[in-house]
Amino acid sequence: METSSTIHFCLPIIGKRLNFTKKNYTFINLPKLVLIFLMLFAMGGRQLSAGVSDSTLQILDAYYQRVLAEWDLPGMAIGIVYDGKLIFSRGYGVKELGKTGAPDGNTLFQVASNTKAVTATLIGMLVDQGLLTWEDRVKYHLPYFTLSDPWITSQVTIADLLSHRIGLGTFSGDVIWYKSYKTAEDIIRRMEHLPLIFDFRAGFGYSNLMYIVAGEIIEKVTGKSFEQNVRERILSPLGMNRSIIRLADLHTKGNFASPHARINNQSVVIDWVDWETAAATGGLISTVEDMSRWMIFNMNQGVWNDDTLISAQQFNRIITPHNNFAVDHTIQNDFDRNFRAYGLGWGLADFHGRMIVGHTGAYDGMLSEVRMLPKDRIGVIVLTNGLKSPIGAITNFTLETLIGKSPRNWSAELLPRAQSDFLEDERITAIRNARISNTQPVLPLEKFAGTYYSAIYGNIMVKLVDGQLHLEFEHSPGLAATLHHWHYNTWEIRWNDTQAWFGFGTLQFDLNNKMQIVGMTFDVPNRDFYFEQFKPIRQPMP
């Protein structure tokens, strides 16, 4: 998926490969680093390949080391592709806090929504094969696909799925699949209960759910799993031999980073979360080395080793704007930008007069970014194992450096914004300030226990065990929590597991005029998962 803090972009050789080691270089003061860059750019340096000098890569390496420390990030791996080759590949920091192992170009990270371009490419390959078209109605392939509006349901095409223009709000319905063991079909069947907030094809609402739908279509028309399709059509042909979709394969592969949440301004190791059901929206686990192959394939317009895996017609369709964003042309912007758009699985824009193609990815405890300047045949891959992550600071600085512009101090500019993301949400502060002390539950504890049904999800249970209320989700054991009295008929949710995207929350039991519990209202302030969409209704006692 994409977090709200990273969606700004999404809306997102011949020469030796350098694997720098820390002992080769010292940390450089950033203003001095920029000055050194300008001097080297003016004087030139020993050329590695068609214009990239080793001195330029040394400057970038020093910048990456400094940024890692400034952002207090556990670890990251970075790759630079130039003219069809991976010319720079290096890991920084550690794969897991508390351990000494360092990441490298073959370390596995979850790349999350960078999977969306893979899904779109698979669809393009199936179009080439004649198994479907971009204009196919989704209902034709999945008769159970239903939205809240019958007419829109009948009109949605595969291209609509991939360009976030259905009408759902950004991240709407992600609570259906997150940490859930539901099947893709069950998730899709629940979508009819989600509200549409803008007219069909008249807005942008970043929808992970629609990519789950696309993945299900891929499985239906091929008779194979999404994982099989990715492996047979992309991973194997490109030699992306360490990349996986199934979390169960992680330990077999080895050399993987651990995700880290940000708790009380510190990075904390958390468990990997299985996204296989949502694989088409964000399930790819990959490395810098493998993602460089994916990037080269895309900058070769779908050709790999003289083998055309996707036609030029379908490739062009994927990187054509399908959903345009407004650009304020009355003020100067960061990149002399004239357009911003979303294609099919890729974010599209211009970057100092060049077209840029890319995407970000956000997974529990990991952020990533892939950005390419196709005409310059330059690309940057940043994989990180923390949520306070400098992906934008790294890609911006790297690309500006490589195209010969004086790079801005992107770390200094973006770090305060990132730090503000981890301040307490104002909505949480308001809830805390409104708490009324020294109250008692309005009913005996056993009255709160029971089963509550959510139309978009299923059963949510409240159980009383040894005088303590517990919250359980039928399909999502990773969301289990204990309930602690807040005031009156409201309870604080304390999650059993450390959560990456949310923390504090409350659960209010809704009463009728007979003092009977009729439902529950969640209030878990965060920008990614909307618990208020559950709207559970109390079910009759057996």
Side-chain angles (χ1 to χ4, degrees):
M1 62 173 280
E2 298 265 335
T3 64
S4 53
S5 60
T6 59
I7 199 166
H8 63 277
F9 181 76
C10 163
L11 2 307
I13 341 183
I14 306 294
K16 65 179 180 180
R17 179 178 309 167
L18 295 189
N19 291 282
F20 292 118
T21 57
K22 187 172 182 180
K23 65 182 180 181
N24 296 129
Y25 305 104
T26 56
F27 285 88
I28 300 175
N29 178 272
L30 192 54
K32 290 182 180 179
L33 185 151
V34 175
L35 179 60
I36 292 171
F37 166 81
L38 292 172
M39 293 171 60
L40 289 170
F41 181 71
M43 295 184 300
R46 182 169 65 84
Q47 301 299 303
L48 275 178
S49 49
V52 179
S53 65
D54 55 355
S55 54
T56 297
L57 293 179
Q58 290 176 32
I59 289 170
L60 291 173
D61 177 67
Y63 175 77
Y64 302 153
Q65 294 182 55
R66 182 178 179 88
V67 167
L68 181 81
E70 289 176 341
W71 287 66
D72 189 27
L73 180 69
M76 62 185 183
I78 298 173
I80 298 174
V81 169
Y82 188 90
D83 197 20
K85 297 289 183 180
L86 180 63
I87 64 167
F88 180 95
S89 174
R90 184 183 167 183
Y92 301 82
V94 294
K95 290 186 284 188
E96 180 177 324
L97 285 178
K99 299 182 179 180
T100 57
D104 57 36
N106 287 307
T107 299
L108 289 164
F109 293 79
Q110 168 66 258
V111 302
S113 284
N114 284 294
T115 311
K116 287 182 168 65
V118 173
T119 300
T121 299
L122 284 176
I123 294 287
M125 291 173 174
L126 298 179
V127 173
D128 280 335
Q129 196 175 337
L131 294 178
L132 45 70
T133 75
W134 299 107
E135 288 72 33
D136 279 359
R137 299 286 199 269
V138 172
K139 195 78 171 174
Y140 172 78
H141 294 286
L142 303 178
Y144 52 84
F145 172 79
T146 306
L147 300 173
S148 61
D149 185 292
W151 181 83
I152 295 176
T153 298
S154 70
Q155 298 302 305
V156 173
T157 67
I158 292 174
D160 293 323
L161 296 178
L162 304 179
S163 52
H164 306 297
R165 61 189 188 190
I166 302 296
L168 290 175
T170 291
F171 304 149
S172 179
D174 280 351
V175 288
I176 302 174
W177 62 264
Y178 182 62
K179 293 193 173 183
S180 170
Y181 295 142
K182 285 177 175 290
T183 65
E185 180 176 338
D186 191 19
I187 292 168
I188 294 168
R189 288 182 180 276
R190 300 283 182 173
M191 295 190 309
E192 65 176 309
H193 303 288
L194 295 171
L196 299 172
I197 66 169
F198 60 83
D199 290 339
F200 183 45
R201 297 176 184 161
F204 180 88
Y206 189 88
S207 179
N208 291 303
L209 285 177
M210 292 304 116
Y211 273 79
I212 294 175
V213 176
E216 192 73 352
I217 291 175
I218 290 170
E219 294 193 354
K220 294 297 183 184
V221 301
T222 63
K224 297 180 178 180
S225 70
F226 180 79
E227 187 272 340
Q228 286 177 291
N229 277 284
V230 174
R231 178 163 37 83
E232 293 174 5
R233 296 174 183 270
I234 294 178
L235 301 184
S236 293
L238 300 188
M240 298 172 66
N241 297 323
R242 282 190 51 73
S243 298
I244 56 176
I245 294 290
R246 300 174 63 249
L247 185 61
D249 295 331
L250 187 66
H251 286 275
T252 301
K253 290 288 185 178
N255 187 11
F256 54 87
S258 294
H260 296 77
R262 194 76 181 174
I263 308 295
N264 296 325
N265 204 32
Q266 291 186 329
S267 292
V268 176
V269 179
I270 59 175
D271 292 334
W272 280 76
V273 176
D274 193 341
W275 279 22
E276 189 174 351
T277 299
T281 202
L284 183 63
I285 301 169
S286 192
T287 70
V288 160
E289 297 275 341
D290 280 5
M291 291 301 288
S292 73
R293 291 171 174 264
W294 167 244
M295 183 177 282
I296 292 165
F297 162 75
N298 278 279
M299 288 195 282
N300 285 341
Q301 297 87 47
V303 177
W304 182 259
N305 290 337
D306 297 324
D307 186 10
T308 300
L309 301 184
I310 182 172
S311 68
Q313 180 181 3
Q314 310 316 329
F315 179 82
N316 284 329
R317 179 70 182 263
I318 289 170
I319 60 170
T320 293
H322 285 66
N323 204 333
N324 292 297
F325 310 138
V327 174
D328 188 345
H329 297 283
T330 67
I331 60 174
Q332 186 175 1
N333 58 55
D334 288 338
F335 308 111
D336 302 320
R337 181 155 289 163
N338 296 293
F339 88 97
R340 292 175 61 241
Y342 199 90
L344 301 176
W346 287 113
L348 310 169
D350 54 341
F351 182 87
H352 300 299
R354 298 160 163 85
M355 181 178 178
I356 188 168
V357 179
H359 216 289
T360 55
Y363 170 82
D364 299 58
M366 293 186 175
L367 299 184
S368 59
E369 185 164 15
V370 172
R371 297 178 78 182
M372 299 177 286
L373 301 175
K375 299 298 183 182
D376 297 272
R377 295 177 62 77
I378 295 172
V380 185
I381 306 148
V382 185
L383 310 179
T384 73
N385 62 350
L387 293 182
K388 184 181 172 185
S389 175
I391 52 177
I394 289 171
T395 55
N396 289 345
F397 188 91
T398 301
L399 292 175
E400 287 184 341
T401 298
L402 294 177
I403 65 173
K405 286 192 67 69
S406 174
R408 286 162 55 178
N409 187 348
W410 285 104
S411 180
E413 291 187 32
L414 297 181
L415 181 55
R417 301 183 207 175
Q419 290 172 330
S420 67
D421 288 341
F422 293 95
L423 298 176
E424 181 169 271
D425 191 305
E426 292 180 356
R427 294 169 294 178
I428 294 177
T429 303
I431 293 171
R432 294 187 190 279
N433 290 341
R435 184 181 188 183
I436 300 174
S437 302
N438 302 317
T439 67
Q440 297 297 319
V442 296
L443 293 170
L445 293 186
E446 60 269 18
K447 296 291 186 180
F448 296 95
T451 298
Y452 299 76
Y453 181 78
S454 165
I456 70 165
Y457 177 82
N459 291 327
I460 300 173
M461 289 77 68
V462 175
K463 297 181 178 180
L464 180 62
V465 180
D466 296 330
Q468 173 70 60
L469 290 178
H470 294 261
L471 180 67
E472 296 180 3
F473 293 78
E474 181 179 18
H475 309 287
S476 314
L479 295 180
T482 57
L483 298 177
H484 297 260
H485 189 245
W486 187 252
H487 60 207
Y488 300 116
N489 56 331
T490 300
W491 301 73
E492 180 185 356
I493 302 169
R494 296 183 187 174
W495 311 102
N496 293 351
D497 297 336
T498 300
Q499 304 293 340
W501 304 112
F502 46 84
F504 176 84
T506 61
L507 180 62
Q508 176 181 300
F509 290 87
D510 304 320
L511 308 176
N512 63 16
N513 59 4
K514 299 176 182 177
M515 289 297 288
Q516 297 170 328
I517 297 175
V518 295
M520 300 189 298
T521 298
F522 283 88
D523 192 356
V524 185
N526 71 94
R527 293 169 298 175
D528 301 291
F529 293 95
Y530 306 145
F531 283 78
E532 63 271 19
Q533 292 185 323
F534 280 133
K535 297 180 172 58
I537 302 300
R538 177 71 175 263
Q539 299 302 292
M541 298 295 288

